[in-house]
Amino acid sequence: MSEEALRNEAIRREPALAALDETTLAVNALISASQDLTVRMAREMRMNVTDMRAILLLSEHGPLGATELAGRLGITLASTTVLVDRLRRDGYLERVRDDADRRRITLTVTASARTASLTAWLPAIRGIDEISRSLTGTERTFALNLLRRLAKAMHHGGRPDPGAGT
């Protein structure tokens, strides 16, 4: 679908989007494509999207406690316990006693989870890398700056960055 068709479809579904900059709508389309990719990868790994997100979070952020994982996933601790039990049973996750605080149990992905996840995601990652490598130096600098600023805006959830202007 062309950019114009995507824009028109987005505006048809939500007229308030008509006032947004085309770049903003393109970022929205990228976010949507990322979510679609997560769904496809979860299906490929024969798991649900929340399980896939848990593996991605643990892979990216390292070992987390169940409460922290629940918060990042936006689910209850009880749901997280069920998720952890399921991923542990399937060989994707381990409960590990924290070396610094032996009372604390952290969750970590297994080597097989990392391998399965990488196998599923690698084609998309390579496609993105191919595009990234095709950028000129100026384009790369601009893209990195834009992406970092967008990520920061998303991390702040649309609220003003407390560190802006410093």
Side-chain angles (χ1 to χ4, degrees):
M1 191 179 282
S2 73
E3 283 186 43
E4 185 176 345
L6 286 171
R7 178 181 176 80
N8 291 338
E9 178 61 20
I11 292 168
R12 184 189 65 73
R13 282 186 271 126
E14 183 51 65
L17 297 178
L20 298 177
D21 183 83
E22 286 184 52
T23 305
T24 303
L25 293 174
V27 170
N28 188 56
L30 177 62
I31 292 167
S32 181
S34 174
Q35 292 167 341
D36 291 345
L37 179 61
T38 301
V39 169
R40 288 194 313 272
M41 295 303 101
R43 202 174 294 132
E44 186 171 314
M45 289 184 66
R46 295 183 181 94
M47 63 178 57
N48 67 50
V49 173
T50 304
D51 290 2
M52 171 61 78
R53 286 185 57 231
I55 288 174
L56 292 173
L57 282 167
L58 290 166
S59 296
E60 183 178 342
H61 299 286
L64 300 173
T67 302
E68 186 177 6
L69 181 61
R72 288 177 181 251
L73 290 171
I75 61 177
T76 66
L77 189 54
S79 294
T80 302
T81 300
V82 173
L83 174 146
V84 168
D85 289 343
R86 182 174 49 249
L87 290 177
R88 191 174 154 276
R89 181 195 66 227
D90 293 344
Y92 290 124
L93 194 90
E94 293 177 324
R95 289 183 174 104
V96 179
R97 192 163 301 280
D98 190 300
D99 288 335
D101 180 353
R102 301 295 293 161
R103 297 168 295 173
R104 177 177 152 95
I105 302 293
T106 58
L107 307 168
T108 185
V109 293
T110 62
S112 64
R114 278 190 292 282
T115 300
S117 182
L118 183 59
T119 299
W121 287 93
L122 200 53
I125 292 168
R126 284 187 174 139
I128 292 167
D129 189 59
E130 183 179 328
I131 293 166
S132 297
R133 288 177 185 277
S134 73
L135 299 174
T136 66
T138 302
E139 290 171 331
R140 180 175 286 110
T141 299
F142 177 82
L144 282 170
N145 182 43
L146 175 64
L147 292 169
R148 287 175 179 147
R149 289 169 54 204
L150 290 170
K152 192 173 188 179
M154 290 178 72
H155 282 296
H156 291 287
R159 293 179 299 279
D161 176 4
T166 57

